[in-house]
Amino acid sequence: VALLERRAEAREGFDALVAAASGWGAPDPVGAAMSHWRFDDAALLMDDARAWLADRDVLLEQMAVAGLSAPDRLHQAYRAYGGGAEAESELEAEREVVDAYVAAAARVNAERSLIERIGLVGGPDPEAQLAQANGHFTAGLLGESHDAIAEAERIVEVASSAGIVRVLSLLLVVVIGVVLVVVLFRRRAYTAGP
């Protein structure tokens, strides 16, 4: 009987947490504490979970703006660990990939010089790498997503030097062609005689 008032308070906090989770439910540690009537523990766990959910909401908004979908592993981390260290680590790992993706997308979609556009012709497509990164992220393959983002960055980074090489190669071919035409013309003029 002495715990009933505390239980009512904890239940109210539990319901608020479930509402804040937006369909993700309550973390297992919170549910276990509530089931065993450890309401003080449950209150602490719910405080951590609410703080984690606030950070999650910010990250989900960043994902939406970037065109990314949250991987299932984020939800799983919340359900298994609430606002614990493991869930925080998952949130941070995903935040790092999202930040890298946003920065890479800005570089890939930036205005390019003529030399950079020439450097990208016929080569790997940085936008295709970003699309792969997006797919890997949604599948929860954070390492593969990060690798694809880095490859997109690398392609854009070397586009200028690749363009210069291609332009110089084209000029060299033109010069060689002109020299050959001149040599052939002179040879023909020499063999034709006066």
Coordinates of all heavy atoms in Angstrom, one line a residue, residues 134-193:
N134 N 23.8 6.0 -48.6 CA 22.4 6.1 -48.1 C 21.8 4.7 -47.8 O 21.3 4.4 -46.7 CB 21.6 6.9 -49.1 CG 20.2 7.3 -48.5 OD1 19.6 6.6 -47.7 ND2 19.8 8.4 -48.9
G135 N 22.0 3.8 -48.8 CA 21.5 2.5 -48.7 C 22.1 1.7 -47.5 O 21.4 1.0 -46.7
H136 N 23.4 1.8 -47.4 CA 24.2 1.1 -46.4 C 23.7 1.6 -45.0 O 23.5 0.9 -44.0 CB 25.7 1.3 -46.5 CG 26.3 0.6 -47.6 ND1 26.0 -0.7 -48.0 CD2 27.3 0.9 -48.5 CE1 26.7 -1.1 -49.0 NE2 27.5 -0.2 -49.4
F137 N 23.5 3.0 -44.9 CA 23.1 3.5 -43.6 C 21.8 3.0 -43.2 O 21.6 2.6 -42.0 CB 23.1 5.1 -43.7 CG 22.7 5.8 -42.5 CD1 23.7 5.9 -41.5 CD2 21.4 6.2 -42.2 CE1 23.4 6.6 -40.3 CE2 21.1 6.9 -41.0 CZ 22.1 7.0 -40.1
T138 N 20.8 3.0 -44.1 CA 19.5 2.5 -43.8 C 19.5 1.0 -43.4 O 18.8 0.6 -42.5 CB 18.6 2.6 -45.0 OG1 18.5 4.0 -45.4 CG2 17.2 2.1 -44.7
A139 N 20.4 0.3 -44.0 CA 20.6 -1.2 -43.6 C 21.3 -1.3 -42.3 O 21.5 -2.5 -41.8 CB 21.3 -1.9 -44.7
G140 N 21.9 -0.3 -41.7 CA 22.6 -0.3 -40.5 C 24.1 -0.7 -40.6 O 24.7 -1.0 -39.7
L141 N 24.6 -0.6 -41.9 CA 26.0 -0.9 -42.1 C 26.7 0.4 -42.1 O 27.1 1.0 -43.1 CB 26.1 -1.5 -43.5 CG 25.3 -2.8 -43.7 CD1 25.3 -3.3 -45.1 CD2 25.7 -3.9 -42.7
L142 N 27.0 0.9 -40.9 CA 27.6 2.2 -40.7 C 29.0 2.3 -41.3 O 29.4 3.3 -41.9 CB 27.6 2.6 -39.2 CG 26.3 2.6 -38.5 CD1 26.4 3.2 -37.1 CD2 25.2 3.4 -39.3
G143 N 29.8 1.2 -41.1 CA 31.2 1.2 -41.6 C 31.2 1.3 -43.2 O 31.9 2.1 -43.7
E144 N 30.3 0.5 -43.8 CA 30.2 0.6 -45.3 C 29.7 1.9 -45.8 O 30.2 2.4 -46.8 CB 29.3 -0.6 -45.8 CG 29.9 -1.9 -45.7 CD 29.7 -2.6 -44.3 OE1 29.4 -1.8 -43.3 OE2 29.9 -3.8 -44.2
S145 N 28.8 2.5 -45.0 CA 28.3 3.8 -45.4 C 29.4 4.9 -45.3 O 29.5 5.7 -46.2 CB 27.1 4.2 -44.4 OG 26.6 5.4 -44.8
H146 N 30.1 4.8 -44.2 CA 31.2 5.7 -44.1 C 32.3 5.6 -45.2 O 32.8 6.6 -45.7 CB 31.9 5.5 -42.7 CG 32.6 6.8 -42.2 ND1 33.9 7.1 -42.6 CD2 32.3 7.8 -41.4 CE1 34.3 8.2 -42.1 NE2 33.3 8.6 -41.3
D147 N 32.6 4.4 -45.6 CA 33.5 4.1 -46.7 C 33.0 4.7 -48.0 O 33.8 5.3 -48.8 CB 33.8 2.6 -46.9 CG 34.5 2.0 -45.7 OD1 35.1 2.8 -44.9 OD2 34.5 0.8 -45.6
A148 N 31.7 4.5 -48.3 CA 31.1 5.1 -49.5 C 31.2 6.6 -49.5 O 31.4 7.3 -50.5 CB 29.7 4.6 -49.7
I149 N 30.9 7.2 -48.3 CA 31.0 8.7 -48.2 C 32.4 9.1 -48.5 O 32.6 10.1 -49.2 CB 30.5 9.1 -46.8 CG1 29.0 8.8 -46.6 CG2 30.8 10.6 -46.6 CD1 28.5 9.0 -45.2
A150 N 33.4 8.4 -47.9 CA 34.8 8.8 -48.1 C 35.2 8.7 -49.6 O 35.9 9.5 -50.1 CB 35.7 7.9 -47.3
E151 N 34.6 7.7 -50.3 CA 34.9 7.5 -51.7 C 34.3 8.6 -52.5 O 35.0 9.1 -53.5 CB 34.4 6.2 -52.2 CG 34.7 5.9 -53.6 CD 36.1 5.8 -54.0 OE1 37.0 5.7 -53.1 OE2 36.4 5.9 -55.2
A152 N 33.1 9.1 -52.2 CA 32.5 10.2 -52.9 C 33.3 11.4 -52.7 O 33.6 12.2 -53.6 CB 31.1 10.4 -52.4
E153 N 33.8 11.7 -51.5 CA 34.7 12.8 -51.2 C 35.9 12.7 -52.0 O 36.4 13.7 -52.6 CB 35.0 12.9 -49.7 CG 33.9 13.2 -48.8 CD 33.8 14.7 -48.5 OE1 34.4 15.5 -49.3 OE2 33.2 15.1 -47.5
R154 N 36.5 11.5 -52.1 CA 37.8 11.4 -52.8 C 37.6 11.7 -54.3 O 38.4 12.3 -54.9 CB 38.3 9.9 -52.6 CG 39.7 9.7 -53.2 CD 40.0 8.3 -53.4 NE 39.2 7.6 -54.4 CZ 39.3 7.8 -55.7 NH1 40.3 8.5 -56.2 NH2 38.5 7.1 -56.6
I155 N 36.5 11.2 -54.9 CA 36.2 11.4 -56.3 C 36.1 12.9 -56.6 O 36.7 13.4 -57.6 CB 34.9 10.6 -56.7 CG1 35.1 9.1 -56.6 CG2 34.5 11.0 -58.1 CD1 33.8 8.3 -56.8
V156 N 35.4 13.6 -55.8 CA 35.3 15.0 -56.0 C 36.6 15.7 -55.8 O 37.0 16.7 -56.5 CB 34.2 15.6 -55.0 CG1 34.2 17.1 -55.1 CG2 32.8 15.0 -55.4
E157 N 37.4 15.3 -54.8 CA 38.7 15.9 -54.5 C 39.7 15.8 -55.7 O 40.4 16.7 -55.9 CB 39.2 15.3 -53.3 CG 40.4 16.0 -52.7 CD 40.9 15.4 -51.4 OE1 40.0 15.1 -50.5 OE2 42.1 15.2 -51.2
V158 N 39.7 14.7 -56.4 CA 40.6 14.5 -57.4 C 40.1 14.9 -58.8 O 40.8 14.8 -59.8 CB 41.1 13.0 -57.5 CG1 41.7 12.6 -56.2 CG2 40.0 12.0 -57.9
A159 N 38.8 15.4 -58.9 CA 38.2 15.7 -60.1 C 39.0 16.8 -60.9 O 39.2 16.7 -62.1 CB 36.8 16.2 -59.9
S160 N 39.5 17.8 -60.1 CA 40.2 18.9 -60.7 C 41.5 18.4 -61.4 O 41.8 18.7 -62.5 CB 40.5 20.0 -59.7 OG 41.2 21.1 -60.3
S161 N 42.3 17.6 -60.6 CA 43.6 17.1 -61.2 C 43.3 16.2 -62.3 O 44.0 16.2 -63.3 CB 44.4 16.5 -60.1 OG 43.7 15.4 -59.5
A162 N 42.3 15.3 -62.2 CA 41.9 14.4 -63.3 C 41.5 15.2 -64.6 O 41.9 14.9 -65.7 CB 40.8 13.5 -62.9
G163 N 40.8 16.3 -64.4 CA 40.4 17.2 -65.5 C 41.6 17.8 -66.2 O 41.7 17.9 -67.4
I164 N 42.6 18.3 -65.4 CA 43.8 18.9 -66.0 C 44.6 17.8 -66.8 O 45.0 18.1 -67.9 CB 44.7 19.4 -64.8 CG1 44.0 20.7 -64.2 CG2 46.1 19.8 -65.3 CD1 44.7 21.2 -62.9
V165 N 44.7 16.6 -66.2 CA 45.4 15.6 -67.0 C 44.7 15.3 -68.3 O 45.3 15.1 -69.3 CB 45.5 14.3 -66.1 CG1 45.9 13.1 -66.9 CG2 46.4 14.5 -64.9
R166 N 43.3 15.2 -68.3 CA 42.6 14.9 -69.5 C 42.8 16.1 -70.5 O 42.9 15.8 -71.7 CB 41.1 14.7 -69.2 CG 40.9 13.4 -68.5 CD 39.4 13.1 -68.2 NE 39.3 11.8 -67.6 CZ 38.1 11.3 -67.2 NH1 37.0 12.0 -67.4 NH2 38.1 10.1 -66.7
V167 N 42.7 17.3 -70.1 CA 42.9 18.4 -71.0 C 44.3 18.4 -71.6 O 44.4 18.6 -72.8 CB 42.6 19.8 -70.3 CG1 43.0 20.9 -71.1 CG2 41.1 19.9 -69.9
L168 N 45.3 18.2 -70.8 CA 46.7 18.2 -71.3 C 46.8 17.0 -72.2 O 47.5 17.1 -73.2 CB 47.6 18.1 -70.1 CG 47.8 19.3 -69.2 CD1 48.7 19.1 -68.1 CD2 48.2 20.5 -70.1
S169 N 46.2 15.9 -71.9 CA 46.3 14.7 -72.8 C 45.7 15.0 -74.1 O 46.2 14.6 -75.2 CB 45.6 13.5 -72.2 OG 46.3 13.1 -71.0
L170 N 44.5 15.7 -74.1 CA 43.8 16.0 -75.4 C 44.7 17.0 -76.2 O 44.8 16.9 -77.4 CB 42.5 16.7 -75.0 CG 41.7 17.1 -76.3 CD1 41.3 15.9 -77.1 CD2 40.4 17.8 -75.8
L171 N 45.3 18.0 -75.5 CA 46.2 18.9 -76.2 C 47.3 18.2 -76.8 O 47.8 18.5 -77.9 CB 46.6 20.0 -75.2 CG 45.6 21.1 -74.8 CD1 46.1 22.0 -73.7 CD2 45.1 21.8 -76.0
L172 N 47.9 17.3 -76.1 CA 49.0 16.5 -76.6 C 48.7 15.7 -77.8 O 49.4 15.7 -78.8 CB 49.6 15.6 -75.5 CG 50.8 14.8 -75.9 CD1 52.0 15.7 -76.2 CD2 51.2 13.8 -74.7
V173 N 47.5 15.1 -77.8 CA 47.0 14.4 -79.0 C 46.8 15.3 -80.2 O 47.2 15.0 -81.3 CB 45.7 13.6 -78.6 CG1 45.0 13.1 -79.9 CG2 46.0 12.5 -77.6
V174 N 46.3 16.5 -79.9 CA 46.1 17.5 -81.0 C 47.4 17.9 -81.5 O 47.6 18.0 -82.8 CB 45.3 18.7 -80.5 CG1 45.3 19.8 -81.5 CG2 43.8 18.3 -80.1
V175 N 48.4 18.2 -80.7 CA 49.7 18.6 -81.1 C 50.3 17.5 -82.0 O 50.9 17.8 -83.0 CB 50.6 19.0 -79.9 CG1 52.0 19.2 -80.4 CG2 50.1 20.3 -79.3
I176 N 50.3 16.3 -81.5 CA 50.9 15.2 -82.2 C 50.2 15.0 -83.6 O 50.8 14.8 -84.6 CB 50.8 13.9 -81.4 CG1 51.7 13.9 -80.2 CG2 51.1 12.7 -82.3 CD1 51.6 12.8 -79.2
G177 N 48.8 15.2 -83.6 CA 48.1 15.1 -84.9 C 48.5 16.2 -85.8 O 48.7 15.9 -87.0
V178 N 48.7 17.4 -85.3 CA 49.1 18.5 -86.2 C 50.5 18.3 -86.7 O 50.8 18.5 -87.9 CB 49.0 19.9 -85.4 CG1 49.7 21.0 -86.2 CG2 47.6 20.2 -85.1
V179 N 51.4 17.8 -85.9 CA 52.8 17.5 -86.3 C 52.7 16.4 -87.4 O 53.4 16.6 -88.4 CB 53.6 17.1 -85.1 CG1 55.0 16.5 -85.6 CG2 53.9 18.3 -84.2
L180 N 52.0 15.4 -87.2 CA 51.9 14.3 -88.2 C 51.3 14.8 -89.5 O 51.8 14.5 -90.6 CB 51.0 13.2 -87.7 CG 51.6 12.3 -86.6 CD1 50.6 11.3 -86.1 CD2 52.8 11.6 -87.1
V181 N 50.3 15.7 -89.5 CA 49.7 16.3 -90.7 C 50.8 17.1 -91.4 O 50.9 17.0 -92.6 CB 48.5 17.1 -90.4 CG1 48.0 17.9 -91.6 CG2 47.3 16.2 -89.9
V182 N 51.5 17.9 -90.7 CA 52.6 18.8 -91.3 C 53.6 17.9 -91.9 O 54.1 18.1 -93.0 CB 53.1 19.7 -90.2 CG1 54.4 20.4 -90.8 CG2 52.1 20.8 -89.8
V183 N 54.1 16.9 -91.2 CA 55.1 16.0 -91.7 C 54.7 15.3 -93.0 O 55.4 15.2 -94.0 CB 55.6 15.0 -90.6 CG1 56.4 13.9 -91.2 CG2 56.3 15.7 -89.5
L184 N 53.4 14.8 -92.9 CA 52.9 14.1 -94.1 C 52.7 15.0 -95.3 O 53.0 14.7 -96.4 CB 51.6 13.4 -93.8 CG 51.6 12.2 -92.9 CD1 50.2 11.7 -92.5 CD2 52.4 11.1 -93.5
F185 N 52.3 16.2 -95.0 CA 52.1 17.2 -96.1 C 53.5 17.6 -96.7 O 53.6 17.6 -97.9 CB 51.4 18.5 -95.5 CG 51.2 19.5 -96.5 CD1 50.2 19.4 -97.5 CD2 52.1 20.7 -96.6 CE1 50.0 20.4 -98.4 CE2 51.9 21.6 -97.5 CZ 50.8 21.5 -98.4
R186 N 54.5 17.8 -95.9 CA 55.8 18.1 -96.4 C 56.4 16.9 -97.2 O 57.0 17.1 -98.2 CB 56.7 18.5 -95.2 CG 56.5 19.9 -94.7 CD 57.5 20.3 -93.8 NE 57.3 21.7 -93.3 CZ 58.0 22.3 -92.5 NH1 59.1 21.7 -91.9 NH2 57.7 23.6 -92.1
R187 N 56.2 15.7 -96.6 CA 56.7 14.5 -97.3 C 56.0 14.4 -98.7 O 56.7 14.1 -99.7 CB 56.5 13.3 -96.5 CG 57.1 12.1 -97.1 CD 57.0 10.9 -96.2 NE 58.0 11.0 -95.1 CZ 58.1 10.2 -94.1 NH1 57.3 9.2 -94.0 NH2 59.0 10.4 -93.2
R188 N 54.7 14.6 -98.7 CA 54.0 14.5 -100.0 C 54.5 15.6 -101.0 O 54.7 15.3 -102.1 CB 52.5 14.6 -99.7 CG 51.7 14.4 -101.0 CD 50.2 14.3 -100.7 NE 49.9 13.1 -99.9 CZ 48.8 12.9 -99.3 NH1 47.9 13.8 -99.4 NH2 48.6 11.8 -98.7
A189 N 54.7 16.8 -100.4 CA 55.2 17.9 -101.3 C 56.6 17.6 -101.8 O 56.9 17.9 -102.9 CB 55.1 19.2 -100.5
Y190 N 57.4 17.0 -100.9 CA 58.8 16.7 -101.3 C 58.8 15.6 -102.4 O 59.6 15.7 -103.4 CB 59.6 16.2 -100.1 CG 61.0 15.9 -100.4 CD1 62.0 16.8 -100.6 CD2 61.4 14.5 -100.4 CE1 63.3 16.5 -100.9 CE2 62.7 14.1 -100.7 CZ 63.6 15.1 -100.9 OH 64.9 14.7 -101.2
T191 N 58.0 14.6 -102.2 CA 58.0 13.5 -103.2 C 57.4 13.9 -104.5 O 57.7 13.4 -105.6 CB 57.3 12.2 -102.6 OG1 56.0 12.6 -102.3 CG2 58.0 11.6 -101.5
A192 N 56.4 14.8 -104.5 CA 55.8 15.3 -105.7 C 56.8 16.1 -106.6 O 56.8 16.1 -107.8 CB 54.6 16.2 -105.4
G193 N 57.7 16.7 -105.9 CA 58.8 17.5 -106.6 C 58.3 18.8 -107.3 O 57.1 19.0 -107.2

